[in-house]
Amino acid sequence: MIKITDMKKKAPYMWEIDKSFRSDMNVPARIFATREMLDDVLKDRSIEQLVNVATLRGIQSAAIVMPDVHEGYGFPIGGVAATLWPSGVISPGGIGYDINCGVRLVKSQLELSDIKSRIKLLGAAIYTSIPSGVGKGGDILLSEAKLDEVLRHGAQKMVQKGYGFEADIDHTESRGCLENADPAMVSHQAKKRGEDQLGTMGAGNHFVEVGVVEEIYDEECANAYGLFENQITVLIHTGSRGLGHQVATDYIKIMMGKMRDYGIVVPDRELACAPFDSPEGQKYFAAMAAAANFAWANRQAIMHGVRLAWRDIFGGKLEDLELLYDVAHNIAKIETHIIDGKLQKVIVHRKGATRAFGPGNPEVPKDYRDVGQPVIIPGSMGTSSFVLAGANRSMELSFGSSCHGAGRQMSRSEAKRRVDATSIINELEHRGIHVQAGSLKGIAEEAPQAYKDVESVVNVVHEAGIAKKVAKLRPLMVIKG
DNA sequence: ATGTAC
C-alpha cells in the first residue's frame, strides 16, 4: 500500500517515490500535483500502476504522471515513460487503446456577438455532418488500398484529397504523419473496423465543442497563436476509433505470448511489452504509427465537416476556419533528450499526456517557434478548456510533456450510478451551454462532477514551469456521441 | 476508449 509519506517533495509541485521503495523499481516514480491532490490520487490504483511502470526494462530518469492522473489499462492515464532506444521496451498499454487520441483547436475570425443567435443551428449542422456513437460509421467507405494510403500518409492524404489545406498540415504535430507507419502490420480485422470510420467522432469523452475565448493570460503567445478575447473557436477531440483499438488489442495479445522468450517479467500482465528492437516491438511501432496516421486523418476529415457546416450557417470561405494546432495525447515517439548530461535517444510513451516542447525547438511549427508549441487542454463537458505554451523546463522534468485534460475522478460505472443525465443537460443549458448528444448514458459518464477541476490541473503544470497558460476557452455548444 | 464478452 502506497502512503503519502512515501512521497518526497523534490521541487515545487513535484513529488517522488524513491526507487528503493520497491526492489523491482529501476527509476523513481514522479508525480506532478499539489499536496492536496496527492490524497485524491491515492484513492485509485494509479500510483501503484506508476510504480509498476518504473520497473520496465530500459526506463530512463523516472516514471512520470501529470496532475490529471487516473487509473488506466496497466499504465496510469496522464503518464509519461521514456525507455532507452533501441533496447528498452515498447508497451501498447503505455500508449493506450485509443492510439493518437488527441485534440485540434480551430479558430474563427468571428466574435460571440456575431454568432449568438445561430449557435444552436450551427450545433445541429455539425451534429448532422459528423457521425458519432460507439461503432458508428460514416459516409466515407475506403477500399483496402485507399485505407492503406491513409494509414501511410495520415492527414496529408486527406489534404491531397481536398479535405483541407496545406496550412493545416503546418499546424499539426508531426505534420499529421508518422513516417514509419506500415499498413502491412495492421491486421485485416483492424482495417475492417476502420474502413467506414474516417470522419466519425466515436463516443465516451470524444466531442466537438464550439467555444469562446474568455480570458487571455499571455498576450505575446496569444498573438503568435492568433487568439483574441471573445473569439469563437471549435475544439475537436477524437482518435483512431475501432481501428486503433484493434491494433492495441492485437499487439497486447502478441506481446503477452512473447514476453517469456525475451526474459521479461512485469508486475502486472497489462504491462505487456517487447524490446523495441525485437520483431514484435518493430511491428507494433509500425502498426501504432499507421493507427496514429488514421487518427490524424480522422481529425482532418472532421474539421472539414465542421468547415462545411460553418459555411452553411455563416457563409464565407472554408479557409475562414483556421487550424491553430493539433496535438496527439496517446502516442509513442522516438525523441532525443538529455539524460545524465548526455544526449540520448528514447522511446517516449505518452498516455494521456501532451507534448509540450518549448521555444526554439525545431519540432515546433515556424509560426510558433519563438513562443513554444501550443498545448491544448480540453476541460470536461461544460467546463472551460485551456491553451498553454510549451516551456523548456518540460525537457528537464517530463520529457517535454504536459497534462492532457481534467482527468477522471469517478469511474464510468460510478458516474452512471450517481449522475442523472437529464439534470446535467438542464443545468448546462441554464448556464448557457447547449448539449447536442446521441446518448444519455454518455452524458452521465462525462458529467463535470466525474472529472477533476481542470483549472487546478492546468495551474500545476503552469506553476511547475512545464507549460504556461495562454488562454481560457468557455464552452457554448457541445456535440457528443 | 471500444462492434462495452469469445
Side-chain angles (χ1 to χ4, degrees):
Chain A
M1 197 63 185
I2 302 168
K3 302 182 301 296
I4 199 150
T5 46
D6 297 320
M7 302 176 184
K8 299 282 177 288
K9 189 167 185 173
K10 290 283 177 170
Y13 304 91
M14 187 175 113
W15 310 76
E16 281 189 5
I17 299 172
D18 195 81
K19 75 171 184 172
S20 63
F21 175 75
R22 226 171 67 188
S23 61
D24 56 351
M25 289 169 79
N26 290 323
V27 291
R30 180 178 297 165
I31 302 137
F32 288 94
T34 62
R35 169 66 183 76
E36 294 71 40
M37 285 174 177
L38 292 181
D39 292 318
D40 289 331
V41 154
L42 287 169
K43 284 178 186 159
D44 67 15
R45 288 186 60 240
S46 53
I47 301 305
E48 184 189 330
Q49 291 185 326
L50 182 66
V51 168
N52 290 342
V53 171
T55 72
L56 289 178
R57 180 185 290 183
I59 188 164
Q60 300 293 297
S61 300
I64 300 166
V65 284
M66 293 294 151
D68 52 344
V69 60
H70 58 107
E71 198 177 312
Y73 179 87
F75 292 60
I77 293 162
V80 183
T83 52
L84 193 66
W85 181 91
S87 61
V89 296
I90 185 164
S91 175
I95 289 135
Y97 274 92
D98 189 2
I99 294 166
N100 191 6
C101 187
V103 278
R104 77 169 42 194
L105 179 61
V106 183
K107 56 190 180 164
S108 77
Q109 294 304 317
L110 297 185
E111 297 191 11
L112 184 52
S113 52
D114 300 321
I115 77 150
K116 209 159 185 183
S117 61
R118 284 175 289 176
I119 184 99
K120 278 190 172 175
L121 223 50
L122 175 65
I126 293 174
Y127 187 79
T128 310
S129 75
I130 298 160
S132 61
V134 179
K136 195 79 179 172
D139 299 335
I140 310 171
L141 181 67
L142 296 167
S143 65
E144 182 150 347
K146 286 264 172 19
L147 178 58
D148 282 1
E149 292 274 289
V150 170
L151 295 179
R152 218 179 270 287
H153 303 294
Q156 297 176 9
K157 185 73 202 171
M158 301 311 288
V159 169
Q160 253 179 42
K161 288 286 171 192
Y163 291 83
F165 307 99
E166 195 55 35
D168 303 341
I169 300 303
D170 295 338
H171 287 179
T172 302
E173 182 175 321
S174 298
R175 300 184 62 77
C177 176
L178 295 185
E179 300 287 343
N180 65 296
D182 184 355
M185 297 302 124
V186 176
S187 68
H188 177 72
Q189 197 184 2
K191 290 180 186 178
K192 196 74 197 157
R193 286 179 70 172
E195 66 181 4
D196 66 343
Q197 292 189 322
L198 203 55
T200 67
M201 195 186 328
N205 61 4
H206 292 168
F207 62 76
V208 174
E209 182 177 282
V210 183
V212 58
V213 177
E214 184 170 67
E215 194 173 349
I216 300 283
Y217 303 100
D218 186 305
E219 287 289 346
E220 188 197 359
C221 293
N223 284 338
Y225 297 166
L227 289 174
F228 55 87
E229 248 179 76
N230 288 320
Q231 180 180 21
I232 300 298
T233 57
V234 183
L235 193 57
I236 297 165
H237 181 198
T238 188
S240 50
R241 310 287 282 97
L243 184 141
H245 193 278
Q246 192 61 46
V247 167
T249 304
D250 292 341
Y251 282 93
I252 286 168
K253 192 170 170 211
I254 290 168
M255 288 181 183
M256 276 180 176
K258 285 295 281 190
M259 272 197 290
R260 269 174 67 108
D261 296 354
Y262 293 116
I264 294 173
V265 180
V266 287
D268 175 350
R269 63 197 299 273
E270 293 183 354
L271 296 175
C273 58
F276 181 77
D277 56 7
S278 68
E280 295 75 21
Q282 287 296 293
K283 286 178 187 176
Y284 170 67
F285 190 51
M288 183 220 72
N293 290 348
F294 184 79
W296 271 312
N298 191 27
R299 291 196 287 276
Q300 185 69 41
I302 288 177
M303 180 172 67
H304 183 68
V306 168
R307 279 171 164 155
L308 293 173
W310 183 277
R311 189 179 61 179
D312 279 351
I313 308 293
F314 301 118
K317 305 190 298 294
L318 294 177
E319 300 93 306
D320 293 346
L321 286 185
E322 291 179 293
L323 179 57
L324 193 153
Y325 202 50
D326 177 306
V327 296
H329 56 222
N330 281 11
I331 202 162
K333 289 182 145 182
I334 309 299
E335 294 172 1
T336 301
H337 289 270
I338 299 170
I339 296 163
D340 297 331
K342 285 190 313 218
L343 284 174
Q344 177 65 56
K345 253 165 110 169
V346 283
I347 306 138
V348 183
H349 299 67
R350 294 192 180 94
K351 181 189 195 177
T354 311
R355 201 185 67 180
F357 286 175
N361 192 306
E363 289 290 316
V364 178
K366 208 162 73 276
D367 299 338
Y368 308 144
R369 202 165 295 161
D370 289 346
V371 296
Q373 75 161 86
V375 176
I376 306 163
I377 312 295
S380 53
M381 182 178 59
T383 63
S384 293
S385 300
F386 289 83
V387 180
L388 290 84
N392 282 327
R393 233 171 119 57
S394 71
M395 288 308 199
E396 300 157 32
L397 300 178
S398 59
F399 292 99
S401 317
S402 176
C403 61
H404 85 306
R408 278 194 169 277
Q409 60 178 358
M410 230 184 253
S411 69
R412 291 184 181 281
S413 51
E414 190 184 354
K416 268 184 286 191
R417 257 197 331 271
R418 291 181 35 180
V419 176
D420 173 53
T422 313
S423 62
I424 295 292
I425 293 176
N426 290 339
E427 219 171 278
L428 292 176
E429 191 72 32
H430 187 72
R431 287 170 35 213
I433 304 164
H434 308 300
V435 180
Q436 177 94 54
S439 126
L440 280 177
K441 178 173 80 104
I443 296 294
E445 288 181 2
E446 298 305 318
Q449 57 265 51
Y451 282 83
K452 306 183 201 205
D453 173 37
V454 66
E455 193 143 5
S456 345
V457 167
V458 161
N459 283 339
V460 168
V461 297
H462 176 89
E463 295 294 338
I466 288 171
K468 61 177 173 174
K469 281 157 78 175
V470 175
K472 181 182 190 172
L473 315 175
R474 177 165 60 85
L476 301 169
M477 174 91 227
V478 189
I479 299 109
K480 293 186 69 70

